[in-house]
């Protein structure tokens, strides 16, 4: 039993030994953990001097890292150190954003206290004894000596005081590796920001401008949080440190704008437009308060609003994904990493979660994973835009080809039909002019032929012009013209007719080339009935069956013999046009039993 007790005591005193709150620092190559030896006093008046504080009752720190959250108080730390190492020791506070730090040294003798150094973000960087992004102090503690130290700390931001003690060599090795990691992080973030600026230029999209600004503000926020911004960007302009809450404000403003644009949130959920501004208002209000004497209240409001936005965006991604937007599902998985890390970071700042290396760097870890993985989502979106652009280009090429085909068809029809008709008109006109003096009574017949040919040309020109109008490509407009033509032809000859159209075809769009051939086949069939069939009833139907479009014109007329059919009735043209449509033309007729002309072409309705 005694052996076990001695073993535990030996293990406990291996590195740090407590003797009346004195941390005994023995030889080692890494950091000394003096946190259990720290005592804390909170000065709510912020006016106490070192002499007054020495008379106050301190309490033993019970936290792994001293963390007071957002506090207006001055925090005093007291600790006694005994150096049993061969090296001079240094104290580091690895929290770069602290308004004011003063370190006092008091020997365990009757000697008065002395100020080792003063520092903080409102001290010009070049005035620091050690010009690093963290606060480093020489403890002036030679080997085999014991001293008591008082650390006075005040901050308008969340007050976290991670204390480390080690030799200068140890700090150099640790911070050298840490600087490499930070450099990789900031290099990654800046590369992503520049990439998205290029994407926004490439696609002319504000969404990627928002993401560029979001990453830029996020990077600026962490450069300030890690002490790099006021080391390299404004080392002497310490007044600017009062306005750095602008970075976290911009981060969350552009985060919510980016997510709304990237997932088309307001298109899918219109109510989110009001939710967005309801969340952005306290963010902006919090930032404004940080510029006033109510700085602490503004920071608290800003952190609360940032946490609310974090939760909102998390559930927003889930809802968008649930609504079936595939990118939303991918985005939710990626964004969750950042949102969870942001929540951990904010809760740590609010002293709800313990402050340690993971919680203090949670947002850096989450943001690095987020920008890497979200790059894949952006690449997916870029590929989507590329496919859409290719589809649009293919559609343009398709229309150009159709226009070329239409021009060729119009030229062919002008030459074959209208050209020949105009030639016959010219010949008839010349004949009429010659006969006008010799046989005036025969001119009337020629004029009637000229009039008939002119109407034919006018009708053909009307058909050509109609098919070139882009607003007449719907199947509904085609069938309307077909009905008007049918009424014009049959009603003047008192032929009864019925017209049946499948209702599913009304909104279908026909290409101009297709509609022209389709319409002229129908028109020729109707003209043939009117001229030759001597029918009393005609039935016209247009139906879609399986993947075929069927046009049927049936009459109860005299019919004809297909073997002895005269070539002048346009059946050859109908056959040619049906082949242009990739279909078949079927004619069923018998003398005295009527005729059915049926056009069957490949056809399918869009999904």
């Amino acid at each position: 039993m005694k052996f076990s007790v001695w073993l535990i005591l030996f293990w406990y005193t291996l590195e740090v030994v407590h003797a009346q709150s004195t941390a005994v620092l023995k030889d080692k190559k890494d950091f000394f953990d003096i946190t259990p030896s720290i005592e804390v006093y909170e000065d709510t008046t912020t006016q106490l001097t070192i002499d007054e504080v020495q008379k106050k009752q301190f309490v033993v720190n019970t936290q792994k890292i001293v963390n007071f959250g957002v506090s207006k108080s001055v925090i005093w730390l007291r600790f006694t150190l005994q150096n049993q190492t061969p090296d001079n020791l240094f104290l580091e506070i690895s929290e770069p954003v602290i308004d004011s730090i003063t370190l006092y040294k008091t020997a365990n003798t009757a000697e008065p206290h002395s100020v080792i150094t003063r520092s903080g973000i409102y001290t010009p960087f070049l005035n620091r004894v050690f010009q690093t992004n963290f606060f480093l102090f020489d403890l002036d503690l030679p080997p085999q000596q014991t001293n008591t130290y008082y650390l006075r700390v005040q901050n308008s931001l969340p007050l976290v005081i991670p204390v480390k003690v080690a030799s200068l060599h140890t700090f150099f090795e640790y911070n050298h590796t840490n600087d490499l990691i930070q450099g990789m992080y900031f290099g990654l973030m800046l590369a992503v920001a520049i990439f998205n600026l290029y994407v926004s230029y490439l696609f002319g999209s504000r969404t990627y401008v928002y993401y560029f600004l979001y990453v830029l503000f996020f990077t600026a926020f962490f450069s300030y949080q890690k002490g790099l911004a006021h080391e390299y960007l404004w080392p002497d302009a310490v007044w600017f440190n009062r306005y750095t809450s602008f970075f976290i404000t911009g981060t969350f403003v552009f985060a919510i704008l980016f997510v709304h644009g990237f997932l088309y949130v307001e298109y899918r959920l219109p109510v989110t437009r009001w939710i967005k501004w309801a969340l952005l208002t306290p963010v902006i209000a919090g930032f404004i308060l940080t510029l006033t004497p109510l700085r602490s209240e503004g920071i608290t409001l800003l952190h609360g609003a940032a946490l609310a936005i974090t939760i909102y965006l998390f559930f927003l991604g889930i809802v968008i994904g649930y609504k079936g937007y595939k990118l939303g599902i991918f985005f939710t998985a990626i964004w969750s990493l950042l949102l969870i890390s942001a929540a951990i970071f904010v809760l740590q700042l609010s002293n709800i979660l313990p402050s340690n290396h993971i919680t203090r760097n949670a947002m850096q870890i989450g943001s690095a994973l987020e920008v890497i993985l979200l790059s894949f989502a952006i690449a997916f979106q870029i590929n989507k835009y590329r496919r859409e652009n290719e589809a649009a280009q293919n559609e343009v090429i398709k229309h150009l080809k159709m226009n070329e085909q239409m021009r060729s068809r119009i030229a062919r029809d002008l030459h074959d039909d209208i050209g020949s008709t105009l030639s016959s008109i010219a010949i008839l006109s010349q004949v009429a002019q010659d006969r006008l003096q010799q046989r005036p009574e025969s001119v009337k017949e020629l004029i009637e032929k000229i009039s008939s040919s002119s109407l034919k040309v006018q009708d053909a020109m009307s058909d050509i012009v109609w098919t070139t109008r882009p607003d007449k490509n719907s199947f509904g407009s085609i069938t309307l013209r077909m009905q008007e033509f049918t009424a014009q032809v049959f009603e003047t000859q008192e032929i009864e007719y019925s017209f049946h159209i499948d209702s599913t075809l009304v909104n279908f769009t026909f290409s101009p080339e297709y509609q022209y051939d389709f319409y002229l086949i129908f028109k020729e069939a109707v003209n043939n009935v009117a001229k030759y069939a001597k029918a009393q009833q005609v039935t016209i139907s247009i139906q879609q069956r399986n993947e075929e479009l069927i046009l049927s014109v049936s009459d109860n007329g005299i019919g004809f013999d297909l073997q002895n059919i005269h070539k002048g009735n346009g059946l050859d043209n109908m056959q040619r046009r049906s082949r242009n449509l990739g279909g078949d033309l079927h004619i069923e007729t018998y003398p005295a039993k009527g005729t059915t002309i049926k056009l069957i072409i490949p056809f399918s309705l869009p999904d």
Side-chain angles (χ1 to χ4, degrees), residues 370-428:
E370 177 258 340
V371 297
I372 292 171
L373 295 176
L374 195 57
S375 296
F376 290 102
I378 292 172
F380 172 83
Q381 191 76 310
I382 291 173
N383 285 332
K384 179 184 175 184
Y385 284 144
R386 181 179 57 80
R387 290 193 299 269
E388 290 176 351
N389 287 337
E390 288 177 355
Q393 290 175 1
N394 291 336
E395 190 68 21
V396 170
I397 293 172
K398 178 182 175 182
H399 281 295
L400 289 175
K401 289 181 178 178
M402 290 172 57
N403 289 339
E404 182 62 29
Q405 292 172 354
M406 184 185 297
R407 288 171 55 191
S408 298
R409 185 258 299 168
I410 291 172
R412 184 179 65 248
D413 290 346
L414 287 173
H415 178 270
D416 295 345
D417 297 336
I418 298 177
S420 62
T421 305
L422 290 175
S423 296
S424 67
I425 290 174
I427 294 170
L428 291 172

Side-chain angles (χ1 to χ4, degrees), residues 37 139 175 210 263 271 275 324 328 356 371 407 410 412 429 435 446 494 508 587 600:
S37 301
L139 288 172
N175 289 335
Y210 293 147
L263 297 180
V271 69
I275 298 175
N356 52 47
V371 297
R407 288 171 55 191
I410 291 172
R412 184 179 65 248
S429 299
R435 289 185 182 180
L446 293 173
E494 297 182 351
F508 182 73
I587 302 174
I600 302 175

Side-chain angles (χ1 to χ4, degrees), residues 211 214 218 248-266 269 272-273 275-277 279-280 283 304-322 327-340 342-343 363 370 374:
Y211 191 64
Y214 155 73
F218 214 160
I248 192 66
T249 302
T251 297
F252 281 93
V253 167
F254 290 112
I256 197 170
L257 291 176
F258 163 69
V259 175
H260 272 237
F262 189 65
L263 297 180
Y264 303 99
V265 172
E266 292 174 22
L269 298 169
T272 56
R273 181 176 304 161
I275 298 175
K276 175 182 69 178
W277 290 110
L279 291 170
L280 289 179
V283 172
L307 181 60
I309 290 175
T310 298
I311 297 171
Y312 164 72
L313 294 180
F314 177 78
F315 286 105
L316 184 63
I318 294 175
V319 172
I320 295 298
Y322 177 77
L327 191 60
I329 298 172
F330 186 48
F331 172 83
T332 301
I334 298 170
W335 199 249
S336 297
L337 295 173
L338 181 62
L339 301 183
I340 292 171
M363 286 191 72
E370 177 258 340
L374 195 57

Side-chain angles (χ1 to χ4, degrees), residues 421-463:
T421 305
L422 290 175
S423 296
S424 67
I425 290 174
I427 294 170
L428 291 172
S429 299
Q430 184 63 43
V431 172
Q433 186 176 3
D434 293 340
R435 289 185 182 180
L436 188 60
Q437 307 242 342
Q438 299 173 1
R439 292 187 297 163
E441 68 280 358
S442 63
V443 174
K444 181 179 179 183
E445 180 182 351
L446 293 173
I447 291 175
E448 288 176 353
K449 289 182 179 181
I450 291 172
S451 176
S452 175
S453 297
S454 299
L455 290 174
K456 182 180 178 181
V457 170
Q458 183 182 5
D459 190 39
M461 287 297 297
S462 175
D463 290 339

Side-chain angles (χ1 to χ4, degrees), residues 48-51 54 76 91 100-107 111-120 123 127 129 136-140 147-153:
L48 296 180
T49 64
I50 178 65
D51 295 321
Q54 284 181 294
W76 289 84
L91 173 76
S100 172
I101 304 174
T102 306
L103 179 65
Y104 298 89
K105 170 188 172 184
T106 303
E111 295 180 11
H113 63 80
S114 60
V115 178
I116 293 181
T117 188
R118 290 185 174 89
S119 191
T123 299
N127 291 352
V129 177
L136 187 64
F137 304 96
D138 186 349
L139 288 172
D140 190 22
N147 285 319
T148 298
Y149 299 88
Y150 287 83
L151 196 65
R152 183 187 186 277
V153 184

Side-chain angles (χ1 to χ4, degrees), residues 495-511:
I495 299 174
E496 295 182 4
Y497 68 94
S498 59
F499 210 116
H500 304 286
I501 304 172
D502 194 332
S503 60
T504 60
L505 300 172
V506 174
N507 295 322
F508 182 73
T509 301
F510 240 172
S511 69

